Amino acid sequence: MRNFLTVLKRTLAVGAVALAAVSLQPGTALASDPGPHPGPSVVGGTTAQQGEFPWMVRLSMGCGGSLYTQQIVLTAAHCVNGTGANTSITATAGAVDLNSSQAVKVKSTYVLQAPGYNGTGKDWALIKLAKPINLPTLNIADTTAYNNGTFTIAGWGADREGGSQQRQLRKATVPYVDDTACQRAYGGSLTPGEEICAGYLQTGGVDTCQGDSGGPMFRKDNAGAWIQVGVVSWGQGCARPGYPGVYTEVSTFAASIKSAAAGLGRR
């Protein structure tokens, strides 16, 4: 597992801004937070339009996610505590404004954390909901063909390192960073083949941040449809020059995700 004081998952944590790196999932610190705060999220982002990314999900522990099916959310393994029955998570979808009357809220029933997850790589999980949410779903990449170019990121996380969670969904675009450059940036901490990097390596300024963990990184496929290529995982701070964001490489785990989702569907 990576040194906790050097690189954290992008989870919210009290005092996280004082650490060398910041995770992207709020965790227990969010429990005492009265709720989302107005303002931007996704560092360097702009406001998403209602209905622009209808498969985006906000999870009550402070993570993001995407609708893999109308009843299963794809998120990050570090956002959940193992595999098993779980009715404590609330998924909010259907609105860019979390306080909107259009927002749909559904409880979880079961969580499946990636088999073999130990804090390094394999950072994906599935959450089954108590009932389907009647919204479009987001397809996942099952080959490496789309692991390049420019990606879109979106979330309700912090707009700056150590900042507050947000009420309005924000979006931004980030370019692919190859494994060699990303490995060099992180001193060998990358897990090639399981993680993919994106961001403005030289200048920084645009990135996912605390509270965006588990959300999708996506781009258009050859048919012009959105396809998910990454799951927000970790990074050195937020939007720092020299440190791109690190995402779970979805194509590597596509078969495992599909099989796990089929099993959840029968549960």
Side-chain angles (χ1 to χ4, degrees), residues 210-234:
Q210 306 133 287
D212 289 324
S213 272
M217 179 172 74
F218 47 98
R219 53 160 287 177
K220 293 290 183 71
D221 66 13
N222 291 336
W226 290 116
I227 190 167
Q228 182 170 351
V229 299
V231 175
V232 180
S233 186
W234 60 277

Side-chain angles (χ1 to χ4, degrees), residues 175-261:
Y176 169 72
V177 175
D178 67 64
D179 286 355
T180 300
C182 195
Q183 192 76 281
R184 187 183 306 119
Y186 284 109
S189 293
L190 187 73
T191 306
E194 295 191 6
E195 295 174 324
I196 181 173
C197 302
Y200 293 90
L201 189 59
Q202 300 303 318
T203 62
V206 183
D207 199 3
T208 47
C209 198
Q210 306 133 287
D212 289 324
S213 272
M217 179 172 74
F218 47 98
R219 53 160 287 177
K220 293 290 183 71
D221 66 13
N222 291 336
W226 290 116
I227 190 167
Q228 182 170 351
V229 299
V231 175
V232 180
S233 186
W234 60 277
Q236 183 89 359
C238 301
R240 295 184 186 184
Y243 295 102
V246 183
Y247 302 78
T248 303
E249 191 169 315
V250 168
S251 60
T252 299
F253 303 105
S256 297
I257 292 169
K258 181 178 179 180
S259 176

Side-chain angles (χ1 to χ4, degrees), residues 61-83:
M61 78 287 263
C63 278
S66 57
L67 287 175
Y68 177 76
T69 73
Q70 291 188 332
Q71 201 168 353
I72 296 176
V73 175
L74 174 61
T75 187
H78 73 266
C79 288
V80 301
N81 296 315
T83 295

Side-chain angles (χ1 to χ4, degrees), residues 16-244:
V17 70
L19 299 175
V22 187
S23 66
L24 288 182
Q25 174 256 335
T28 56
L30 192 67
S32 60
D33 192 304
H37 307 284
S41 67
V42 174
V43 180
T46 58
T47 305
Q49 299 301 306
Q50 177 63 30
E52 187 173 6
F53 310 124
W55 23 258
M56 285 294 300
V57 176
R58 179 66 169 174
L59 299 169
S60 56
M61 78 287 263
C63 278
S66 57
L67 287 175
Y68 177 76
T69 73
Q70 291 188 332
Q71 201 168 353
I72 296 176
V73 175
L74 174 61
T75 187
H78 73 266
C79 288
V80 301
N81 296 315
T83 295
N86 186 325
T87 59
S88 68
I89 301 168
T90 300
T92 301
V96 295
D97 182 345
L98 294 177
N99 288 355
S100 169
S101 60
Q102 297 180 54
V104 177
K105 297 180 183 293
V106 181
K107 286 284 190 180
S108 61
T109 61
Y110 196 90
V111 171
L112 190 151
Q113 190 178 59
Y117 174 72
N118 65 0
T120 301
K122 300 179 178 65
D123 195 9
W124 64 269
L126 299 176
I127 299 173
K128 184 174 183 180
L129 304 177
K131 62 182 180 179
I133 296 176
N134 187 25
L135 288 170
T137 58
L138 179 60
N139 290 330
I140 64 172
D142 57 9
T143 75
T144 60
Y146 300 111
N147 291 355
N148 57 71
T150 300
F151 308 115
T152 298
I153 51 178
W156 290 271
D159 64 332
R160 59 183 174 82
E161 190 171 318
S164 299
Q165 299 301 281
Q166 306 300 312
R167 171 176 166 177
Q168 301 283 341
L169 180 68
R170 302 285 286 189
K171 64 177 181 177
T173 57
V174 286
Y176 169 72
V177 175
D178 67 64
D179 286 355
T180 300
C182 195
Q183 192 76 281
R184 187 183 306 119
Y186 284 109
S189 293
L190 187 73
T191 306
E194 295 191 6
E195 295 174 324
I196 181 173
C197 302
Y200 293 90
L201 189 59
Q202 300 303 318
T203 62
V206 183
D207 199 3
T208 47
C209 198
Q210 306 133 287
D212 289 324
S213 272
M217 179 172 74
F218 47 98
R219 53 160 287 177
K220 293 290 183 71
D221 66 13
N222 291 336
W226 290 116
I227 190 167
Q228 182 170 351
V229 299
V231 175
V232 180
S233 186
W234 60 277
Q236 183 89 359
C238 301
R240 295 184 186 184
Y243 295 102

